[in-house]
Amino acid sequence: MTRYSAWSVFWNGLRGQRGWDRAWRDPEPKPAYDVVIVGGGLHGLATAYYLASNHGITNVAVLEKGWLGGGNGGRNTTIVRSNYMLPGNRRFYEHSLELWENLSHDLNYNVMFSQRSHITLLHSPAARDAAARRYNTMRLTDSDGELWSLDELKRTVPHLNYAPGARFPIIAATVQRRAGTARHDAVAWGYARAADQRGVDIIQNCEVTGVHRDGARVTGLETTRGTIRGAKIGFAVAGNTSRLWRMAELGTLPIETHKLQAFVTEPLKPLLDQVVVFGVAGAHFYISQSDKGGMVFGGDLDWYKSYAQRGNLPPVQDCAECAISILPCLGRVRLLRHWSGVMDMSMDGSFFMCRTPLQNLYLNAGWNYGGFKASPASGWYFADLIANERPDPVIENHDLRRFERGINIDERGAGPDPKLHG
Ligand SMILES: Cc1cc2nc3c(=O)[nH]c(=O)nc-3n(C[C@H](O)[C@H](O)[C@H](O)COP(=O)(O)OP(=O)(O)OC[C@H]3O[C@@H](n4cnc5c(N)ncnc54)[C@H](O)[C@@H]3O)c2cc1C
């Protein structure tokens, strides 16, 4: 397979672009594999890659019902950060950010990771104190984090709404400089190509429609391309987790599926060189500018449960209002597109990565709306769990029984209501 480099771009330019190979094969499914991962999103593809690269397990299939990156992986606002505070999240997301920092080299694929800073606006002394605690915790655990004064913020992002009469005046900001954005479909394609190079079969248009069991083991998966057996099976299907769980006759999960929308405007000249987050009094809004110039933004969930990958109009209004309140200069910009994904929202806002009641079935779920940044570490630790059949200490509390043990990993402090965990 062609190794991507400046030289290969130059050489193929001279030869009329005739020397490129397919990025990954399109194999027919085999009857059986050592590991079958259901879900060709970022988490499923990353798991397959790390199974092969970290553990030497290459007889692996990734089954995807549609096309790679057609789920949340290709629908998100691509914010990558590690400003988590609680044990169970802190080390996991920091490791993920470290993996992002070398991902393009590791995969030999430019995922366009841009460490452009993540700025959270603060609007009250109480919010500033809480944020200082979070960012100090990050600094004490070898991450980066800064608390900026209003003057510093004005110097860096002069066109935010600093009007003294604003409904929620900005008083300060927290900043993580190593945070930023990446190109979502490049991440899917990069992991797919690198996994394929190591022998993984990536099988698109292959929907799992049933789970065969023999007592406490999964014996095979019924798919639209025939029955496929796996010695070990991993579910990484994001908002569809409860559907797969039901197919395995495992009852209910502490997960609800909700919808989240994102938006992009017509392209503008360079305007915003950071990710900016605005959250106060029920408003929740995050915005950045894509490399093509579009302003990319999103807000809260649609507030009702659904498996449909389409949104509704009230969040459009909410997001437009938030956009204008922090960046009034966007007032006459036209919205180009908006779309929705399906989020697997958990009761405490944190993920599940664990063994299940079935001996050879493993679960990767509950990413709420923060799973893009988690993709590398999710693949890393899920591959480790499947290969070694025990959780690494970093993820040991992310099991389905944590609530019975009194462990809530509730970063937002929102309580057991999935729709409140942003
Ligand atoms: C609008 C929006 C904005 C977001 N913004 C951010 C952000 O800025 N930062 C961040 O960190 N996170 C963000 N997220 C969250 C992030 O996108 C998700 O948490 C993450 O992508 C989920 O993991 P995934 O990529 O594996 O999921 P997906 O890409 O959804 O992968 C799951 C795959 O499973 C497949 N599948 C489902 N059922 C079956 C079946 N029966 N058989 C075979 N295949 C099946 C689906 O087709 C899908 O491709 C956002 C999400 C949305 C929707």
Side-chain angles (χ1 to χ4, degrees):
M1 180 154 312
T2 321
R3 193 172 159 73
Y4 295 160
S5 64
W7 169 249
S8 63
V9 171
F10 176 69
W11 181 237
N12 275 290
L14 294 180
R15 297 170 60 217
Q17 309 295 347
R18 288 191 306 274
W20 301 110
D21 299 324
R22 282 185 70 104
W24 58 87
R25 295 164 298 130
D26 185 18
E28 281 303 311
K30 293 190 281 189
Y33 291 89
D34 292 339
V35 180
V36 176
I37 303 294
V38 186
L42 305 174
H43 294 229
L45 294 166
T47 303
Y49 170 68
Y50 292 116
L51 275 169
S53 63
N54 288 0
H55 304 281
I57 301 173
T58 55
N59 186 21
V60 177
V62 178
L63 310 184
E64 167 53 49
K65 73 175 175 182
W67 66 96
L68 302 186
N72 298 317
R75 292 165 184 261
N76 63 78
T77 45
T78 79
I79 300 170
V80 175
R81 56 185 169 85
S82 74
N83 56 351
Y84 287 73
M85 184 176 79
L86 297 185
N89 281 342
R90 179 79 243 128
R91 280 173 62 200
F92 177 88
Y93 285 100
E94 192 58 34
H95 186 192
S96 207
L97 185 53
E98 287 164 9
L99 291 171
W100 276 108
E101 288 176 320
N102 197 38
L103 200 57
S104 294
H105 292 289
D106 192 16
L107 301 180
N108 180 229
Y109 202 101
N110 186 2
V111 300
M112 297 167 72
F113 181 45
S114 158
Q115 293 181 287
R116 57 180 66 182
S117 300
H118 176 277
I119 300 179
T120 307
L121 306 179
L122 303 170
H123 305 270
S124 68
R128 187 182 52 202
D129 290 351
R133 179 171 173 238
R134 171 177 299 273
Y135 278 67
N136 280 332
T137 307
M138 289 158 60
R139 290 166 69 117
L140 289 170
T141 48
D142 298 329
S143 189
D144 66 313
E146 295 167 32
L147 184 57
W148 279 6
S149 67
L150 188 56
D151 286 345
E152 206 164 356
L153 181 66
K154 280 181 178 170
R155 273 197 302 276
T156 312
V157 199
H159 41 291
L160 292 177
N161 184 5
Y162 299 108
R167 175 73 181 85
F168 298 107
I170 303 166
I171 65 160
T174 45
V175 182
Q176 186 176 33
R177 287 185 195 259
R178 286 164 61 236
T181 60
R183 171 79 190 259
H184 41 32
D185 39 16
V187 184
W189 300 333
Y191 271 122
R193 176 173 170 271
D196 174 89
Q197 274 177 348
R198 286 161 178 78
V200 171
D201 282 358
I202 291 160
I203 304 168
Q204 300 180 76
N205 298 313
C206 182
E207 179 169 1
V208 172
T209 53
V211 176
H212 298 301
R213 278 178 57 176
D214 180 8
R217 286 189 72 78
V218 178
T219 52
L221 298 171
E222 204 52 52
T223 80
T224 46
R225 296 179 67 174
T227 304
I228 300 174
R229 295 193 308 281
K232 297 178 182 179
I233 313 279
F235 285 171
V237 291
N240 287 287
T241 307
S242 42
R243 287 176 155 170
L244 268 290
W245 202 247
R246 211 173 308 133
M247 287 180 206
E249 295 176 10
L250 284 168
T252 54
L253 275 172
I255 283 178
E256 289 180 1
T257 295
H258 286 260
K259 293 175 306 108
L260 179 67
Q261 299 186 55
F263 308 81
V264 66
T265 69
E266 60 187 334
L268 307 177
K269 287 184 177 176
L271 174 72
L272 189 64
D273 197 21
Q274 300 84 10
V275 177
V276 174
V277 180
F278 166 59
V280 63
H284 182 202
F285 181 74
Y286 32 94
I287 186 163
S288 64
Q289 187 167 21
S290 79
D291 293 336
K292 286 193 282 187
M295 304 305 295
V296 179
F297 54 86
D300 263 326
L301 298 169
D302 270 29
W303 292 80
Y304 60 94
K305 288 172 265 181
S306 169
Y307 293 112
Q309 282 182 322
R310 60 176 181 272
N312 232 317
L313 286 175
V316 180
Q317 182 175 350
D318 282 353
C319 284
E321 283 171 1
C322 287
I324 305 306
S325 41
I326 64 158
L327 279 163
C329 58
L330 295 182
R332 301 184 61 187
V333 174
R334 277 166 297 195
L335 200 58
L336 200 61
R337 284 180 285 123
H338 69 111
W339 59 89
S340 166
V342 283
M343 320 308 314
D344 43 338
M345 305 297 295
S346 67
M347 297 294 148
D348 60 356
S350 286
F351 62 91
F352 300 106
M353 198 183 294
C354 54
R355 306 198 66 165
T356 68
L358 303 185
Q359 288 159 14
N360 58 340
L361 178 67
Y362 300 82
L363 179 67
N364 176 324
W367 292 99
N368 296 271
Y369 42 109
F372 179 69
K373 67 180 81 64
S375 311
S378 170
W380 181 284
Y381 288 105
F382 199 41
D384 178 74
L385 173 71
I386 293 171
N388 296 316
E389 301 179 7
R390 53 96 194 100
D392 184 279
V394 169
I395 57 157
E396 66 188 352
N397 280 328
H398 287 268
D399 63 340
L400 285 168
R401 308 194 71 167
R402 65 172 175 261
F403 306 118
E404 288 170 35
R405 302 200 310 281
I407 296 171
N408 278 310
I409 312 174
D410 184 351
E411 259 329 298
R412 204 173 184 186
D417 188 344
K419 67 178 178 301
L420 297 180
H421 290 285

